[in-house]
Structure formats: C-alpha cells, structure tokens
C-alpha cells in the first residue's frame, strides 16, 4: 500500500495545480497531515477534522437515532473517524445532556451510548435540516488541497507506457502517438469518427495509463451543507488499498477518504445540463455531487455528443470556464456558491461532424481533435484472429478471405473493429442450432452477414 499512496504526492514537491485559481483561495492542508506525502493525516482531535464540534455532535445524534444504542467502536466505524475524535464529540454531547451512557451487554465491558429525550429532539431537528447520515465529511477547503496534490496532470504517460497499456488491443496505426501527447497536454480532447470505430472502447481504457491511487472523500462540507461525493458505482477501490481501518493504522491517512483507482466517468445520450450541477433530492434531503466532480483526478468522457435532448452548444458552453481556469463553480440549495478544482482529462466523443456541433471558437479551445477511422484489412485480420481465440475457433484464412472478398468488397461495407466478434458469434449460434461443425462455414458466415446487416434498400422498403 505504501507504493500506491506514495504516488499521490506531487513529483515536483510543490503540489501546485496548473491553471488559474481564485485569488486568496485557501490551498493549504489542515494541520494534521501525513508528513511523507503532504496528504491529510489521521486526525487526533475534533479541530484536526476542520469540523465544528456542534456539527459533529448533530451527525452522531443522527447515527444514534437510526442505529439505537451504539458503542464507541460502532460510532467510529460509522463516522470514519478515530475513536479519540469521537470521544471528544461524545463528551460535548454529554455536557449538552443529549446522550446517556449505558453499561455493556452480553458480558462486554464496552460502554454504550444512547440518546436522551433532549438528544432525540435534537437528532430529529438535524434530520429535518439534512438527511445525510454517513461518514464525517471533509471541508471543501481541505478537499481542494488534496485534489491539487493528486492531480492527473502532474505526470503524463510516456510512449512506452501507452504502448504497454494497449499491448493487448489492436489500435489503428499512429493513433496511440496522437493519444499520448494529448493526455500530456492537460487540454480537452475531441474524439470523432464513424460509429463502431472504437472511440468509446479505447477512451474508456485510458484509465490503464494511470495505475496510482487517489483519495476520494465520502462527502464534502460546504458551509453547513453536506454533499455526497464517493460513489461506489463510479469509484473503484484501489487493489492495494485494503480495508480502510487497516489503511489508516498503517499509513496514518485520514479515514474519511477512500483509496480508489483514478475514476473513469462516461456519460452519453442521457446527459442533461442539470446533471452537471449539484443534485438535491427533497424526499431524502440529500445532496449529490455532479458527474464532473465525481470524475475529479480522473477521466470524464462525454460520449455520443449531438444525441442529447439539449442542444450541443448548451453542453459546450458549460465547459468554457472550467476548461480555461481549471476551476468549476457550483451552488448548493442554500444559494451558497463554492469552487473546486476541475482536474479531469475531459474527452468529447461523437459520431457526427464536429463542425456541425460546435463553432470554430470553441473548437480552438480544445487542444486535440483525434479522428478514428475504419480498419485496414491487416488490422481487421489481427482482430479476427483474436475473436477466434476468444470463441475457441481455429483460424481459417480461407474463411476470412471469403468474408473480405465476397461479402465486404461486394457490398462496399467498411471494416469496423466490432464486426469480427459479432459475426463469429452469430455464425456459431447458427452452427449450434443446426448441430453442425464447431468450425463456421462460408454458408454460416453468409447467414451471419445477412442477420447482422440490414441492406439499405430493404430498410427503405420496409418503412414504406
């Protein structure tokens, strides 16, 4: 785990975030921090958390209201805080006469804590103000510093790293030598080309180039508002992370952060501009971070541009300030505005002509435009052989020649990387149905071809 965590530290030692930040904005870590990395260390008192003891007392009250009678260990686990910090907050609640101590049960000598009548009233009032009952949040000021320290732009991949990461994939010639520099640039990337050319597949695999760990807080505190950030559907635990409890003991890191792989977030045709702002659910009284904040320190792919319900220029206009200043401005329900570092590899992907989606002024702001095209016959053959191995089919060069010369060439169909797996799969479905050989024949391949493709003249007739 030490190796994974050590990579979080800025290789320059400065931790400076590239781009423009608000003047006078706090960019220092809390007093408690890991001396080896400059990242947030294990808090030893409430003050080290950056939280007000009253706020922490309300959060404990909500946990006790929902969990009943709990031990110090139970509360420390639920709050993701060391026991010594929780004890300090419990002492505050005892002075406020909001909790009472009960003896251990089943022979246990652990003290248990329960709400008094006054404590229940306070917990209900706190739940009416905010439905959040989870790990103690991290103040947004502290998160800014952590996000800068582990910026994805601090060290870009080399050609050797890029080639190694994609060694098991067939990528059209020269494409990797365009992708690599674009990642080093720190600028947004526009990926375009015909459907099925592998744009989404390859861009999602870019996460392979960043194998280090990042710290993702369970939640952020903005003023008095808690915004949930960690999302298990997006943030994958780093393989070297281990259990959070043991991680904190071994490394001295703040357990309010989860050790994750750099996130890769993909949003497609379902994207709306509302999804790029703080989300509030009035039924649960919970705030959720927007997609780009969940993608921070990772990769954010806006896929299928032009297919959304909103106009492309509305989506593009949302990114002008973040792209130029490396800062994103957000607002919570109370009307309070705040900012966070915009630290992502931002990738726009589309099947349409970029000039039909954005004006020249916006496209100039994007450093790299990468075109994905159809395969050459040699590239297609390599993918075909891989699909044969995957489906345990012996490679037959005559069958491939039949496909290329008698089907592709005669119908003027472009070669796409998704075709080999799909066509072989359909052919083998037919072979299993008829009980014939496990090796596909030209007849079965022709059957697969006509099942997979719809001739345009037949499609037009069918709609008439």
């Amino acid at each position: 785990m030490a190796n994974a965590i050590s990579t979080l530290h800025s290789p320059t030692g400065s931790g400076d975030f590239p781009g423009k930040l608000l003047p006078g904005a706090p960019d220092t870590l809390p007093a408690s921090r890991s001396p080896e990395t400059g990242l947030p260390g294990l808090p030893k008192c409430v003050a080290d958390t950056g939280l007000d003891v009253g706020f922490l007392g309300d959060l404990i009250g909500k946990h006790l209201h929902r969990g009943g009678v709990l031990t110090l260990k139970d509360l420390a686990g639920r709050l993701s805080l060391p026991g010594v910090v929780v004890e300090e907050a419990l002492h505050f609640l005892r002075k406020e006469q909001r909790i009472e101590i009960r003896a251990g049960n089943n022979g246990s000598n652990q003290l248990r804590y329960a709400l008094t009548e006054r404590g229940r009233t306070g917990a209900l009032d706190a739940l009416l103000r905010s439905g959040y009952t989870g790990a103690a949040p991290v103040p947004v000021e502290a998160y800014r510093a952590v996000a800068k320290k582990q910026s994805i732009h601090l060290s870009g991949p080399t050609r050797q790293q890029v080639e190694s990461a994609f060694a098991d994939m067939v990528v059209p010639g020269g494409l990797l030598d365009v992708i690599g520099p674009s990642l080093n640039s720190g600028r947004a990337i526009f990926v375009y080309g015909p459907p099925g050319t592998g744009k989404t597949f390859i861009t999602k695999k870019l996460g392979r180039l960043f194998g280090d760990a990042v710290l993702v807080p369970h939640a952020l505190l903005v003023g008095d508002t808690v915004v949930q950030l960690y999302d298990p559907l997006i943030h994958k635990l780093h393989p070297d992370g281990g259990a959070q409890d043991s991680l904190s003991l071994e490394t001295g890191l703040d357990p309010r952060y989860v050790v994750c792989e750099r996130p890769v977030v993909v949003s497609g045709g379902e994207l709306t501009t509302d999804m790029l702002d703080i989300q509030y659910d009035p039924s649960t009284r919970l705030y959720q971070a927007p997609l780009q904040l969940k993608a921070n320190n990772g990769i954010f792919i806006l896929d299928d541009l032009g297919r959304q319900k909103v106009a492309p220029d509305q989506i593009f206009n949302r990114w002008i300030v973040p792209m130029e200043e490396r800062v994103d401005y957000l607002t919570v329900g109370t009307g309070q505005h705040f900012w966070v570092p915009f630290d992502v590899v931002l990738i726009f992907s589309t099947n349409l002509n970029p000039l039909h989606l954005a004006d020249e002024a916006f496209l100039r702001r994007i450093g790299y435009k990468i075109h994905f095209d159809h395969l050459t016959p040699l590239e297609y053959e390599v993918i075909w052989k891989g699909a044969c191995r995957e489906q345990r089919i012996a490679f037959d060069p005559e069958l491939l020649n039949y496909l290329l010369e008698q089907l592709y060439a005669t119908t003027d169909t472009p070669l796409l990387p998704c075709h080999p797996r799909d066509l072989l799969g359909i052919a083998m479905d037919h072979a299993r149905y008829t009980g014939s050989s496990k090796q596909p024949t030209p007849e079965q391949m022709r059957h697969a071809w006509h099942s997979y493709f719809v001739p345009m003249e037949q499609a037009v007739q069918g709609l008439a």
Side-chain angles (χ1 to χ4, degrees):
M1 186 59 220
N3 290 337
I5 292 298
S6 65
T7 58
L8 293 170
H9 183 47
S10 164
T12 63
S14 66
D16 290 337
F17 188 85
K20 179 182 175 183
L21 296 180
L22 292 181
D27 61 357
T28 57
L29 290 165
S32 175
R33 62 175 182 257
S34 170
E36 294 82 9
T37 64
L39 292 171
L42 202 64
K44 298 178 175 60
C45 61
V46 171
D48 284 347
T49 67
L51 304 174
D52 180 75
V53 69
F55 171 87
L56 197 53
D58 284 343
L59 186 56
I60 291 175
K62 290 191 283 188
H63 277 290
L64 288 171
H65 182 269
R66 293 189 172 177
V69 182
L70 299 173
T71 66
L72 176 62
K73 183 178 180 180
D74 294 332
L75 287 168
R78 289 170 181 244
L79 293 165
S80 294
L81 286 174
V84 64
V85 177
V86 180
E87 274 189 312
E88 183 181 342
L90 288 171
H91 180 68
F92 165 79
L93 290 175
R94 286 186 65 194
K95 288 177 60 177
E96 295 281 310
Q97 298 181 350
R98 289 162 60 181
I99 62 170
E100 60 185 14
I101 299 177
R102 298 183 183 180
N105 59 357
N106 298 325
S108 171
N109 59 0
Q110 292 190 53
L111 297 179
R112 300 182 299 148
Y113 298 88
L115 291 173
T116 61
E117 189 61 35
R118 183 176 182 179
R120 279 189 288 274
T121 301
L124 287 171
D125 180 64
L127 283 168
L128 286 174
R129 286 183 274 114
S130 169
Y132 180 78
T133 306
V138 172
V140 67
E141 295 83 4
Y143 170 70
R144 291 169 184 158
V146 172
K148 293 192 304 183
K149 281 286 184 181
Q150 59 192 21
S151 170
I152 195 169
H153 300 299
L154 287 175
S155 57
T158 64
R159 170 183 280 181
Q160 183 178 2
Q161 291 172 325
V162 173
E163 291 177 348
S164 176
F166 289 92
D168 60 339
M169 297 173 55
V170 179
V171 181
L175 196 56
L176 292 182
D177 282 339
V178 180
I179 292 175
S182 70
L183 295 175
N184 286 329
S185 73
R187 303 178 67 183
I189 303 168
F190 207 114
V191 173
Y192 66 101
T197 50
K199 298 183 298 297
T200 303
F201 182 77
I202 290 178
T203 51
K204 287 174 68 175
K205 298 297 182 183
L206 293 178
R208 295 179 172 193
L209 297 170
F210 306 96
D212 52 342
V214 293
L215 300 181
V216 179
H218 284 280
L220 299 178
L221 184 65
V222 181
D224 294 326
T225 303
V226 179
V227 179
Q228 292 178 291
L229 177 53
Y230 172 70
D231 186 341
L233 297 178
I234 289 176
H235 300 111
K236 299 179 181 179
L237 298 181
H238 194 276
D240 293 334
Q244 287 299 111
D245 290 343
S246 62
L247 169 67
S248 300
L249 293 174
E250 292 173 7
T251 65
L253 288 173
D254 191 330
R256 291 177 294 171
Y257 293 85
V258 184
V259 181
C260 301
E261 299 177 359
R262 290 193 182 270
V264 177
V265 178
V266 182
S267 182
E270 77 283 359
L271 180 70
T272 63
T273 52
D274 290 343
M275 297 168 65
L276 304 177
D277 294 322
I278 298 288
Q279 300 290 304
Y280 177 69
D281 185 345
S283 62
T284 60
R285 297 181 296 282
L286 292 175
Y287 287 90
Q288 279 281 349
L291 291 174
Q292 71 274 17
L293 184 49
K294 293 181 179 181
N296 237 3
N297 298 138
I299 299 172
F300 187 25
I301 304 170
L302 298 173
D303 203 12
D304 286 333
L305 281 175
R307 310 293 185 186
Q308 289 77 16
K309 294 181 180 179
V310 296
D313 59 342
Q314 292 183 7
I315 295 176
F316 290 137
N317 289 339
R318 175 62 178 83
W319 302 111
I320 291 178
V321 171
M323 284 168 52
E324 291 185 347
E325 299 188 9
R326 302 279 181 89
V327 168
D328 195 19
Y329 300 93
L330 300 168
T331 306
V332 292
T334 59
Q336 181 174 356
H337 302 282
F338 68 102
W339 66 272
V340 289
F342 183 72
D343 185 68
V344 300
V345 173
L346 181 62
I347 301 176
F348 301 99
S349 178
T350 183
N351 299 331
L352 307 176
N353 187 330
L355 295 175
H356 296 164
L357 298 176
D359 58 30
E360 186 179 349
F362 181 84
L363 290 176
R364 280 200 304 268
R365 290 183 167 93
I366 299 176
Y368 285 80
K369 293 86 175 174
I370 303 177
H371 183 245
F372 279 62
D373 209 343
H374 304 133
L375 299 174
T376 65
L378 182 58
E379 292 166 344
Y380 188 92
E381 179 179 340
V382 175
I383 296 179
W384 180 270
K385 289 179 178 178
C388 288
R389 287 193 299 270
E390 184 180 311
Q391 301 193 35
R392 299 181 180 179
I393 300 170
F395 171 66
D396 182 356
E398 292 185 4
L399 182 66
L400 178 59
N401 288 336
Y402 170 80
L403 183 69
L404 294 174
E405 296 173 4
Q406 300 299 319
L407 297 176
Y408 274 103
T410 59
T411 59
D412 199 25
T413 301
L415 302 174
L416 297 179
C418 59
H419 288 173
R421 181 191 60 190
D422 295 341
L423 289 172
L424 283 171
I426 296 173
M428 293 312 298
D429 290 339
H430 188 266
R432 284 189 292 270
Y433 175 72
T434 58
S436 56
S437 169
K438 293 184 179 180
Q439 186 68 22
T441 64
E443 291 75 16
Q444 288 165 342
M445 195 53 62
R446 181 175 289 276
H447 169 82
W449 180 273
H450 291 300
S451 296
Y452 190 64
F453 295 103
V454 179
M456 185 55 64
E457 62 274 10
Q458 293 183 15
V460 172
Q461 292 174 4
L463 292 174

